[in-house]
């Protein structure tokens, strides 16, 4: 049984930083491209960032470029999202997802097979 688990969310002031982590059991992450998504109350889920299985290709939503960095450590079976200079509009539940297909710059949720339950990020002004 595949289980994807996010951690690292919390409450932070605007301008602060958080690092999200994602681990998985039941699958080996280096066989999968990975993505981070977020969903704020009353809004649709949006793609934040994606990374190829090798880590050599990454994509970011325009809203987070220059502030967020996606990375992976396949030896640790872990995906990360470093979030700097956080803004109140970054407040959302953040989800990690895995795909056995190729990632695209569109970071579409429909391309991903396995999802975590999410971790809450709240940025206060």
């Amino acid at each position: 049984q595949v289980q994807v688990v996010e951690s690292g969310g919390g409450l932070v002031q605007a301008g602060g930083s958080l690092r999200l982590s994602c681990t998985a059991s039941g699958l080996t992450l280096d066989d999968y491209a990975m993505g981070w998504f977020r969903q704020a109350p009353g809004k649709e889920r949006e793609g934040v960032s994606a990374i190829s299985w090798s880590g050599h290709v990454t994509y970011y939503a325009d809203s987070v470029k220059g502030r967020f960095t996606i990375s992976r450590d396949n030896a640790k079976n872990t995906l990360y999202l470093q979030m700097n200079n956080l803004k109140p509009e970054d407040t959302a539940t953040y989800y990690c997802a895995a795909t056995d297909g190729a990632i695209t710059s569109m970071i579409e949720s429909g391309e991903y097979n396995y999802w975590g339950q999410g971790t809450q990020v709240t940025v206060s002004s």
Side-chain angles (χ1 to χ4, degrees):
Q1 183 176 357
V2 175
Q3 188 173 17
V4 178
V5 179
E6 305 92 341
S7 62
L11 174 63
V12 64
Q13 288 187 334
S17 298
L18 284 173
R19 187 176 79 158
L20 304 184
S21 298
C22 171
T23 59
S25 58
L27 61 83
T28 303
L29 287 188
D30 61 4
D31 289 336
Y32 294 83
M34 303 293 296
W36 285 101
F37 295 78
R38 66 186 181 186
Q39 188 167 19
K43 295 188 177 181
E44 293 187 355
R45 187 172 297 188
E46 65 170 334
V48 173
S49 184
I51 187 168
S52 63
W53 68 269
S54 67
H56 292 160
V57 179
T58 58
Y59 296 113
Y60 296 92
D62 288 343
S63 59
V64 306
K65 280 181 182 176
R67 300 187 299 121
F68 290 11
T69 303
I70 191 171
S71 63
R72 63 191 301 160
D73 186 337
N74 288 339
K76 296 182 178 179
N77 215 38
T78 303
L79 174 74
Y80 302 100
L81 184 68
Q82 178 67 43
M83 306 186 296
N84 297 328
N85 191 23
L86 282 160
K87 303 176 181 181
E89 51 263 43
D90 295 318
T91 295
T93 301
Y94 283 71
Y95 300 88
C96 168
T99 175
D100 56 9
I103 57 171
T104 70
S105 60
M106 298 300 293
I107 318 175
E108 297 282 357
S109 60
E111 299 171 346
Y112 291 76
N113 310 98
Y114 301 105
W115 291 83
Q117 294 300 306
T119 185
Q120 178 67 36
V121 172
T122 303
V123 184
S124 63
S125 58

